Amino acid sequence: MDSQTSQASQPSPSPQSPHTFQVDLRGLVDLLSHHLYSSPKVYLRELLQNAVDAVTARRAEEPGAPARIGLYAEGGALRVEDTGVGLTEEDVHSLLATIGRSSKRAEGLEEARSDFLGQFGIGLLACFVVAERIRVVSRSARTPGAPPVEWTASDDGSYTVRTLPDAERPEPGTTVHLVARAGAAEWLAPGRVAELARDFGSLLPYDVRVGEEAVTDLPAPWDRPYPGPAARRVALARHCHDQFGFTPLDTVDLSVPLAGIRGVAYVLPSAVSPAQRAGHRVHLKGMLLTDRAEQLLPDWAFFVRCVLDTDSLRPTASREALYEDETLAGVREALGERIRAWLTGLAAGDPERLAAFLSVHHLGVKSLARHDREMLRTMLPWLPFETTDGRLSLEEFAQRHPVVHFTRTVEEYRQVAPIASAQGIGVVNGGYTYDSELVQALPSARPGTVVAELDAETVTAHLDAVDPAEELALSGFLAAARARLDPLGCDVVLRAFHPLSVPALHLDDRDARHEQARADAEAQADDLWAGILGSLRGSAPRARLVLNHLNPLVRRISALPDPELIGTAAESLYGQALLMAQRPLRPADSALLNRAFIGLLEWATHSEDGQA
């Protein structure tokens, strides 16, 4: 019998009965309290959320039904009452005792789920974070003849259900009773309950109270009527201070009706790092979802903090963050457009406020302008840049100079700025964040503008040449100086330039620095690496020390008869030029400065007879 026949004759395995997952409720509570939720305070949000959803469900069937939620804290215990839809005994078994099932999935309510806050059915489990036992007393509004029912659950996974006399709960609705577990009493203290209720529920659409104190404060500050714009700014500034702890530089209205979003963005009064993650306050249908939403706005809008209410964005399972999806991406783009429109409006109608804003947050606007040509054109007259003509906008600088030269690093700018300015060359310092990108984008926003990167060759070409006869007469001096600086990868040239007070100018570019770094590494490497690095030798121009023939000190040094002393003086001028450019010194440069300093001291203190 072949193998196929043998396999075919084997009896097929009998089907096995499915098994049911066993849930360790203690482990689940630990998971919720230490991993899913950021703080035990979310228990109150869950209680408020269930109460609001219960009222919403009842209102869907009885539009005139009462809509009240009350919280009463005393002696380490908390009672939360609502006039919502309530539960029957069957509902209790089906909904409260089944983890992951939500009452919002009940028959007849599926189509209205967008009106509810809860979406995940975790519900009352969050209360086990602060209490060992949960007691719920409820009476259904859908089944008027059903008696009140009591559901009592413990964190060990057990629960009991019993019916109660009508007098225990004469009206429809639900009451949740909690008693603080050991170490959690502070979370059920009256002051803390009131604080959390105001934080989570100030924008809820129903009458929410802690004792007799109202929690809800509607309409929202950005939707209230005010006597005038000034009064509105004052009120919103007060709201910003209450929410974020600062008085805003300005306020931006954020309204996206298609996404169900209303709110405000507050402009920070001081500069912040673009890398700092912003924390925005987001309410979902009135309930505070998070006060640390980070992905709500484009990255470039790091200079604002937002408070808004939405009915379209999706929360994560913990309901403490926003779910990243196409809706959130669209909202992010729309809110960015609102902030962009505010900036454009300031540029068009309120230059003083715009100048005050840019003095603090020009970096954020530059970040936006480098990707948005329309914003670049709008902001050209206002964005400040460091230039050889002072701190100017690119628009004003381009009007003064037919060619807009720029450097890519701050070090390069410091090298050439004094000399370029004296020669009439306009230079923009592009070494700061985004600046070189914006300068290069200038022709697209201002057609006809010529932009060019400034390098050592360009600067040298703008310096006046020395008369050939004079330079020939100084050939010995130049040869001695070149011989001393050649090991440092630096050439020596003679030019005449202003200001006269500058004896020497050190010029190089990135290619020259890269070649010098390669040569330094080759000199210190073993034979194998030296051969590899040698094969990478480039043809980049070397750095150069430009001596100023108009400077009196250079003239005196050029007249020295001693080649050794000329070399020492050339090293001193080289070191001084590096320091003036604020360039970082290599070990070889530091050694040269020390050697030149000691050499000059020895020469200055040496007497005619050779004795110090």
Side-chain angles (χ1 to χ4, degrees):
M1 181 180 295
D2 60 25
S3 60
Q4 292 182 347
T5 305
S6 176
Q7 291 176 4
S9 65
Q10 297 295 324
S12 59
S14 59
Q16 296 185 1
S17 301
H19 298 280
T20 302
F21 283 103
Q22 302 299 310
V23 177
D24 179 0
L25 191 60
R26 286 188 185 275
L28 186 58
V29 170
D30 180 73
L31 177 67
L32 291 175
S33 59
H34 294 103
H35 301 283
L36 184 61
Y37 296 126
S38 62
S39 166
K41 70 180 182 180
V42 297
Y43 88 92
L44 191 66
R45 185 196 63 201
E46 296 293 338
L47 289 174
L48 277 177
Q49 179 174 285
N50 287 340
V52 169
D53 286 343
V55 172
T56 301
R58 186 176 180 185
R59 280 288 186 94
E61 301 178 0
E62 302 176 47
R68 297 187 304 274
I69 300 170
L71 297 90
Y72 308 92
E74 184 178 2
L78 175 65
R79 185 173 84 256
V80 180
E81 298 183 350
D82 68 65
T83 58
V85 69
L87 301 170
T88 63
E89 182 174 356
E90 181 181 355
D91 293 335
V92 165
H93 285 290
S94 174
L95 302 174
L96 296 187
T98 305
I99 295 171
R101 178 173 295 177
S102 171
S103 61
K104 273 69 75 177
R105 297 185 177 90
E107 182 180 356
L109 292 179
E110 185 68 27
E111 68 278 2
R113 285 190 67 203
S114 62
D115 294 331
F116 297 106
L117 300 175
Q119 300 287 315
F120 295 91
I122 297 174
L124 291 172
L125 281 181
C127 295
F128 283 126
V129 175
V130 297
E132 294 179 349
R133 193 178 64 154
I134 303 171
R135 177 171 173 258
V136 178
V137 177
S138 187
R139 183 163 192 162
S140 175
R142 293 184 187 143
T143 312
V149 61
E150 178 191 69
W151 177 80
T152 304
S154 299
D155 63 358
D156 62 1
S158 63
Y159 73 92
T160 61
V161 178
R162 65 187 181 109
T163 58
L164 301 175
D166 288 348
E168 291 286 337
R169 178 89 199 188
E171 298 296 331
T174 301
T175 303
V176 179
H177 300 265
L178 301 180
V179 177
R181 65 166 63 243
E186 63 168 306
W187 295 104
L188 273 64
R192 178 57 68 89
V193 169
E195 174 189 348
L196 294 178
R198 284 192 298 269
D199 197 39
F200 285 121
S202 62
L203 299 184
L204 288 173
Y206 304 129
D207 181 15
V208 181
R209 294 179 178 271
V210 177
E212 298 301 319
E213 179 185 354
V215 168
T216 49
D217 188 17
L218 295 176
W222 49 85
D223 286 330
R224 295 173 190 169
Y226 295 99
R232 187 174 189 271
R233 280 197 297 270
V234 170
L236 290 179
R238 187 182 308 115
H239 177 254
C240 176
H241 193 276
D242 293 340
Q243 299 295 316
F244 296 112
F246 66 84
T247 301
L249 196 63
D250 205 350
T251 301
V252 185
D253 283 304
L254 300 178
S255 176
V256 186
L258 291 178
I261 287 178
R262 288 283 299 161
V264 290
Y266 295 117
V267 181
L268 290 164
S270 56
V272 294
S273 167
Q276 180 176 329
R277 305 303 296 177
H280 307 293
R281 291 178 64 87
V282 178
H283 296 255
L284 180 61
K285 304 179 184 73
M287 179 74 74
L288 179 67
L289 180 70
T290 177
D291 58 3
R292 298 187 304 275
E294 296 180 349
Q295 68 273 48
L296 185 65
L297 294 179
D299 291 340
W300 56 260
F302 58 83
F303 50 84
V304 298
R305 297 292 179 268
C306 295
V307 184
L308 56 81
D309 188 24
T310 176
D311 59 14
S312 64
L313 299 179
R314 292 175 56 195
T316 58
S318 67
R319 291 191 284 275
E320 293 186 283
L322 296 172
Y323 186 81
E324 186 68 50
D325 58 9
E326 292 182 359
T327 301
L328 179 58
V331 166
R332 184 186 301 122
E333 182 177 351
L335 294 179
E337 286 293 334
R338 300 298 182 275
I339 297 174
R340 182 185 287 108
W342 166 76
L343 283 171
T344 305
L346 286 187
D350 200 338
E352 290 186 2
R353 287 171 67 195
L354 178 63
F357 166 75
L358 289 178
S359 67
V360 179
H361 296 298
H362 59 275
L363 197 59
V365 179
K366 287 181 177 180
S367 174
L368 170 60
R370 66 195 177 114
H371 296 302
D372 189 323
R373 293 295 176 261
E374 185 60 36
M375 181 57 63
L376 178 58
R377 280 190 289 270
T378 302
M379 291 291 113
L380 267 181
W382 308 103
L383 287 174
F385 288 79
E386 182 180 358
T387 77
T388 49
D389 291 355
R391 198 160 182 81
L392 299 175
S393 69
L394 287 182
E395 174 71 25
E396 186 175 358
F397 188 80
Q399 291 173 358
R400 296 184 181 186
H401 299 278
V403 178
V404 178
H405 290 97
F406 73 98
T407 62
R408 291 187 180 273
T409 68
V410 175
E411 290 79 9
E412 291 174 355
Y413 177 79
R414 289 170 178 166
Q415 275 185 316
V416 302
I419 308 304
S421 178
Q423 308 306 312
I425 307 173
V427 185
V428 178
N429 185 354
Y432 296 114
T433 306
Y434 310 134
D435 282 9
S436 63
E437 295 176 68
L438 291 174
V439 176
Q440 292 177 88
L442 187 56
S444 66
R446 194 177 187 274
T449 304
V450 179
V451 173
E453 184 175 355
L454 188 68
D455 54 22
E457 292 288 343
T458 303
V459 176
T460 305
H462 278 78
L463 304 180
D464 294 336
V466 178
D467 182 85
E470 291 189 52
E471 186 167 2
L472 182 60
L474 297 175
S475 58
F477 158 71
L478 293 175
R482 287 167 181 158
R484 186 61 66 91
L485 297 183
D486 183 69
L488 296 172
C490 182
D491 292 330
V492 177
V493 296
L494 189 65
R495 292 289 187 273
F497 56 87
H498 293 273
L500 302 180
S501 58
V502 177
L505 176 65
H506 182 271
L507 294 177
D508 64 0
D509 53 29
R510 280 167 296 154
D511 291 338
R513 288 195 294 274
H514 291 163
E515 174 60 21
Q516 184 60 51
R518 186 210 58 78
D520 291 343
E522 180 182 356
Q524 298 174 12
D526 57 27
D527 292 341
L528 174 61
W529 281 109
I532 294 174
L533 292 170
S535 66
L536 299 176
R537 183 179 294 110
S539 59
R542 304 210 306 169
R544 65 195 63 184
L545 181 68
V546 183
L547 300 179
N548 188 358
H549 187 54
L550 301 180
N551 180 267
L553 177 60
V554 172
R555 284 180 173 273
R556 289 196 295 270
I557 293 175
S558 65
L560 292 173
D562 185 355
E564 186 65 26
L565 184 55
I566 290 175
T568 301
E571 288 179 333
S572 300
L573 291 174
Y574 172 85
Q576 188 265 351
L578 286 180
L579 294 175
M580 288 296 294
Q582 302 183 41
R583 290 282 306 278
L585 299 180
R586 300 171 297 165
D589 298 329
S590 299
L592 174 145
L593 280 172
N594 289 330
R595 183 171 66 249
F597 178 71
I598 296 300
L600 290 177
L601 282 179
E602 289 181 348
W603 177 81
T605 57
H606 198 276
S607 63
E608 291 185 0
D609 59 2
Q611 300 298 320

